[in-house]
Amino acid sequence: TIMIIGTLITVSSNSWLGAWMGLEINLLSFIPLLSDNNNSMSTEASLKYFLTQALASTVLLFSSILLMLKNNMNNEINESFTSMIIMSALLLKSGAAPFHFWFPNMMEGLTWINSLILMTWQKIAPLMLISYLNMKNLLLITVILSVIVGAMGGLNQTSLRKLMAYSSINHLGWMLSSIMISESIWLIYFLFYSFLSFILTFMFNIFKLFHMNQLFSWFMNSKILKFSMFMNFLSLGGLPPFLGFLPKWLVIQQLTMCNQYFLLTVMMMSTLITLFFYLRICYSAFMLNYYENNWMMKMNMNSTNMNL
């Protein structure tokens, strides 16, 4: 409840100091959710989270004080420089590249429910504050880096939590680009992303799946479960017939209207890479690991043993 209140304070505040206070309440209420006595990884993750968020909060407080002092110091402080510092602090809070290094490592130590909160709810407040700032050049660089890092980082992952973390960084790039165009498109994208992430993490949590090899061996008997799981995977990647393509379509349409062709090309290329590793997982699960195939292999092995 306090975590939700913290986010609402940030979103509804009319000063940077009030926004900082909301972020701080949000941070201090999320850390007890992370720490689990049975898991030493979660304690490490909560410490990492605290340190990075505390650093970002300190920088945010410092820059908001600078903005307040600006009126008293006869405009000696450059406002764009202060806005850039605020933007960097907020990007660190949300886990966008190049400030993303804490995010995948921390995700590795969390439960699926905490991961879901981190990927969705914890991004609302920083992204809302980013949408108030008019720093298109810095946003442009961040978007390009986020989509590339999200695409490249997920290529060699066997851990599902890290895969979801890099996917989150990639989607964050898309969200930041939609913030540049319009706030309503950003909200639509965020809602779709939250919905798809919720379904996937909910299924991972029910079946206690944490690594890639568990995906292949788990759904041997139930084809419907297998299909629903991997359709959500492809939807998160943004494959056209599925739901996840719709918000991307809206962003693509708006970016072409704003003549942002270079940015759009980079974003679409990176999404193709993310789709490649999602498709690779799905192809392996559907084609190579299914029950009949396993049964046939056992039959063949038994017959060879009999022959010997």
Side-chain angles (χ1 to χ4, degrees):
T1 310
I2 296 170
M3 187 176 71
I4 292 165
I5 290 167
T7 303
L8 293 178
I9 289 171
T10 303
V11 170
S12 58
S13 69
N14 60 352
S15 71
W16 284 110
L17 209 61
W20 168 80
M21 190 177 70
L23 285 169
E24 211 61 28
I25 292 167
N26 180 269
L27 158 68
L28 292 174
S29 57
F30 187 49
I31 285 169
L33 284 175
L34 296 180
S35 54
D36 178 14
N37 295 328
N38 302 325
N39 187 2
S40 60
M41 286 279 281
S42 70
T43 317
E44 187 190 330
S46 57
L47 188 63
K48 278 179 188 170
Y49 186 71
F50 174 73
L51 289 171
T52 47
Q53 298 294 318
L55 173 66
S57 294
T58 313
V59 174
L60 183 66
L61 182 62
F62 167 72
S63 47
S64 56
I65 291 168
L66 271 182
L67 272 181
M68 286 176 177
L69 287 172
K70 182 178 173 290
N71 302 324
N72 306 332
M73 295 176 72
N74 300 325
N75 294 338
E76 282 180 28
I77 300 165
N78 188 354
E79 194 171 343
S80 63
F81 173 68
T82 319
S83 300
M84 196 173 81
I85 298 173
I86 291 179
M87 179 73 96
S88 303
L90 293 171
L91 290 171
L92 176 59
K93 271 197 169 293
S94 57
F99 311 105
H100 68 282
F101 293 98
W102 61 274
F103 193 67
N105 289 333
M106 193 200 142
M107 278 273 285
E108 191 61 32
L110 301 184
T111 60
W112 278 118
I113 304 298
N114 287 336
S115 301
L116 179 66
I117 296 170
L118 184 67
M119 286 190 296
T120 54
W121 186 262
Q122 294 299 90
K123 287 197 170 39
I124 295 172
L127 287 174
M128 274 304 260
L129 293 178
I130 286 168
S131 67
Y132 301 155
L133 293 163
N134 188 21
M135 294 288 295
K136 285 207 167 178
N137 293 337
L138 186 60
L139 259 184
L140 202 70
I141 296 161
T142 309
V143 167
I144 291 168
L145 281 172
S146 292
V147 291
I148 290 169
V149 164
M152 294 300 179
L155 276 173
N156 296 326
Q157 295 303 329
T158 53
S159 164
L160 289 174
R161 280 173 294 195
K162 277 196 175 175
L163 193 75
M164 291 295 281
Y166 281 111
S167 171
S168 182
I169 293 166
N170 184 272
H171 282 284
L172 192 60
W174 280 81
M175 279 182 235
L176 289 169
S177 69
S178 57
I179 283 173
M180 285 163 60
I181 319 155
S182 93
E183 207 158 297
S184 55
I185 288 181
W186 163 64
L187 285 170
I188 291 165
Y189 196 104
F190 183 79
L191 286 170
F192 273 90
Y193 169 68
S194 303
F195 176 64
L196 292 169
S197 296
F198 170 74
I199 294 169
L200 267 178
T201 46
F202 189 66
M203 288 184 84
F204 290 151
N205 190 43
I206 288 172
F207 297 112
K208 298 286 179 286
L209 302 174
F210 295 104
H211 294 279
M212 208 80 84
N213 56 352
Q214 289 171 289
L215 273 183
F216 301 147
S217 57
W218 199 261
F219 301 110
M220 284 287 190
N221 299 321
S222 175
K223 284 192 171 62
I224 297 165
L225 266 177
K226 199 178 214 181
F227 263 94
S228 57
M229 163 82 79
F230 289 109
M231 274 167 69
N232 281 311
F233 249 120
L234 294 175
S235 187
L236 197 67
L239 199 67
F242 300 109
L243 188 68
F245 176 64
L246 186 63
K248 288 195 173 179
W249 191 7
L250 290 172
V251 176
I252 289 165
Q253 197 174 9
Q254 289 297 319
L255 281 172
T256 44
M257 284 166 73
C258 297
N259 297 326
Q260 296 278 3
Y261 297 118
F262 172 70
L263 179 66
L264 192 58
T265 310
V266 174
M267 284 163 66
M268 285 165 72
M269 293 288 277
S270 72
T271 307
L272 283 175
I273 298 170
T274 54
L275 251 180
F276 163 70
F277 61 75
Y278 281 140
L279 275 169
R280 189 170 58 179
I281 296 163
C282 298
Y283 187 81
S284 306
F286 284 136
M287 297 295 176
L288 307 177
N289 295 69
Y290 57 95
Y291 194 71
E292 291 85 349
N293 191 13
N294 228 24
W295 183 72
M296 287 296 288
M297 278 169 65
K298 280 179 185 171
M299 282 283 288
N300 291 337
M301 281 172 70
N302 288 339
S303 61
T304 48
N305 289 340
M306 283 169 71
N307 291 337
L308 286 169

